[in-house]
């Protein structure tokens, strides 16, 4: 039921900046805040859906950390978020070669970046990894892409499973129970950080065939104290974020008091102000997710 121990300082000071870096047109400034001699190996941005939305990711070397990092960019704006929500309402999880099945939007997003250059970069790096760890991260949609990346890399034998560290922020339910079981069995160092009422952590709902993998790290606060978290048990702990019914876009876009995308574009320095999203597009998506979550709660109580 438990992953390897969660290190809040590693999360806040290393993996979180690497996650934010994926939102920047050039991630090198964020990389420099983590590693003194970081080198960007590959940056990919490709079209990934019928609405011409893009998906992105990068690979970098961190020699002083003895690590390679892969980071995936999260959802860009309400239009792409609406496309994701629509997709998992109308479609069911699709099988992947690593085992189990994942959301079709998540799979298409990952495949676009993986086949767009990331696979060749990781294949080349794996040939000379010399015991280096592989860190994989992402926020929102990027969290699901990071999860599928870890599963794919292990399945293809590109990196030793015991050298992989997967950490995501605001990750949706990426796949079904069989997929969650594959992740639980293969990736020991795996954590899903969830900020309070982050609505994306609640979708797609279980009634559509989805389930989280372990291990949720739940912050039921503003995350100003990085040690004030709950290391949740099992794949879906009803005492953690599943205990909350009201959803928030703001809690999804803000982790550690920072707006992830803006902070990444600023080079992971300074501060960003909390915004209060109130546009009709945001409210529409938020209401749609709330309705889905309500149906999921009804299904869980009837189970």
């Amino acid at each position: 039921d438990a992953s390897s121990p969660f290190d809040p300082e590693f999360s806040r000071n290393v993996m979180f900046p690497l996650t934010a870096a994926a939102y920047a047109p050039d991630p090198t400034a964020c990389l420099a805040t983590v590693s003194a001699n970081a080198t960007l190996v590959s940056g990919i941005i490709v079209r990934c859906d019928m609405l011409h939305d893009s998906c992105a990711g990068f690979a970098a070397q961190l020699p002083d950390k003895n690590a390679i990092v892969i980071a995936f960019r999260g959802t860009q704006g309400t239009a792409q978020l609406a496309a994701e929500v629509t997709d998992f309402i109308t479609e069911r999880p699709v099988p992947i070669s690593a085992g189990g099945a994942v959301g079709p939007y998540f799979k298409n997003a990952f495949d676009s970046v993986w086949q767009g250059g990331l696979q060749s970069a990781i294949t080349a790096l794996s040939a000379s990894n010399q015991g280096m760890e592989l860190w994989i991260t992402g926020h929102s949609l990027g969290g699901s892409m990071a999860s599928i990346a870890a599963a794919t890399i292990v399945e293809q034998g590109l990196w030793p499973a015991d050298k992989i560290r997967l950490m995501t922020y605001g990750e949706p339910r990426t796949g079904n129970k069989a997929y969650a079981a594959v992740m639980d069995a293969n990736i020991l160092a795996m954590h899903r950080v969830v900020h309070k009422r982050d609505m994306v952590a609640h979708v797609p709902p279980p009634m559509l065939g989805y389930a989280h993998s372990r291990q949720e790290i739940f912050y039921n606060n503003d995350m100003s104290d990085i040690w004030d978290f709950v290391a949740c048990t099992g794949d879906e702990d009803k005492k953690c974020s599943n205990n909350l019914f009201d959803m928030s876009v703001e809690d999804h876009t803000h982790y550690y008091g920072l707006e992830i995308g803006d902070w990444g574009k600023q080079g992971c320095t300074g501060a960003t102000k909390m915004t209060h999203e109130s546009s009709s597009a945001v409210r529409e998506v938020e209401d749609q997710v709330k309705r889905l979550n309500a149906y999921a709660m009804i299904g869980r109580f009837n189970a």
Side-chain angles (χ1 to χ4, degrees):
D1 286 341
S3 184
S4 60
F6 175 70
D7 181 348
E9 292 181 338
F10 178 71
S11 173
R12 172 60 184 87
N13 301 323
V14 179
M15 293 297 257
F16 182 65
L18 295 175
T19 299
Y23 283 96
D26 182 356
T28 52
C30 283
L31 289 172
T33 68
V34 173
S35 170
N37 56 355
T39 302
L40 181 66
V41 175
S42 180
I44 301 101
I45 180 168
V46 291
R47 174 184 165 184
C48 58
D49 65 26
M50 298 299 291
L51 298 178
H52 301 278
D53 291 313
S54 65
C55 295
F58 70 83
Q61 291 179 303
L62 312 178
D64 59 342
K65 304 293 185 183
N66 197 36
I68 301 295
V69 62
I70 309 173
F72 295 90
R73 192 185 69 193
T75 305
Q76 289 282 88
T78 55
Q80 188 171 26
L81 180 57
E84 291 176 48
V85 172
T86 300
D87 196 68
F88 63 65
I89 289 174
T90 58
E91 303 290 339
R92 292 297 180 265
V94 295
I96 62 171
S97 59
V102 300
Y105 196 99
F106 307 147
K107 183 179 185 301
N108 289 340
F110 167 73
D111 286 345
S112 298
V113 175
W114 187 245
Q115 296 166 9
L118 190 59
Q119 180 180 24
S120 58
I122 294 304
T123 300
L125 289 167
S126 70
S128 57
N129 75 64
Q130 297 178 345
M132 299 180 78
E133 289 191 338
L134 178 62
W135 299 346
I136 309 176
T137 190
H139 166 249
S140 190
L141 167 64
S144 288
M145 295 167 69
S147 175
I148 298 171
T152 300
I153 289 168
V154 170
E155 188 261 336
Q156 294 184 3
L158 294 176
W159 219 274
D162 62 355
K163 291 291 185 180
I164 292 175
R165 302 181 75 171
L166 172 65
M167 190 172 293
T168 65
Y169 302 84
E171 179 190 342
R173 290 186 178 94
T174 299
N176 62 10
K177 285 186 177 181
Y179 175 76
V182 167
M183 296 300 294
D184 290 349
N186 291 335
I187 312 296
L188 175 62
M190 177 171 64
H191 298 99
R192 293 184 298 104
V193 182
V194 179
H195 176 212
K196 206 170 183 177
R197 293 178 171 84
D198 184 336
M199 73 172 192
V200 173
H202 297 273
V203 295
M207 66 179 229
L208 295 181
Y210 291 85
H212 272 307
S213 56
R214 61 160 163 79
Q215 178 190 28
E216 178 182 358
I217 302 298
F218 180 51
Y219 283 87
N220 193 18
N221 49 57
D222 63 4
M223 302 185 75
S224 57
D225 179 358
I226 64 173
W227 295 93
D228 187 10
F229 65 88
V230 177
C232 310
T233 60
D235 290 344
E236 298 262 1
D237 190 339
K238 296 178 183 178
K239 296 179 181 178
C240 287
S241 63
N242 278 348
N243 189 45
L244 301 177
F245 293 87
D246 53 330
M247 303 292 102
S248 168
V249 171
E250 188 172 287
D251 286 355
H252 177 63
T253 57
H254 293 79
Y255 275 65
Y256 298 108
L258 298 163
E259 205 288 337
I260 301 175
D262 284 349
W263 192 59
K265 292 170 186 175
Q266 293 173 197
C268 297
T269 58
T272 60
K273 294 181 179 180
M274 295 288 282
T275 58
H276 296 278
E277 300 271 14
S278 59
S279 71
S280 59
V282 169
R283 287 200 303 272
E284 182 178 345
V285 173
E286 203 169 33
D287 288 344
Q288 194 171 18
V289 171
K290 286 178 181 178
R291 287 194 295 272
L292 279 170
N293 192 54
Y295 295 147
M297 292 300 108
I298 292 171
R300 187 164 66 196
F301 290 144
N302 290 338

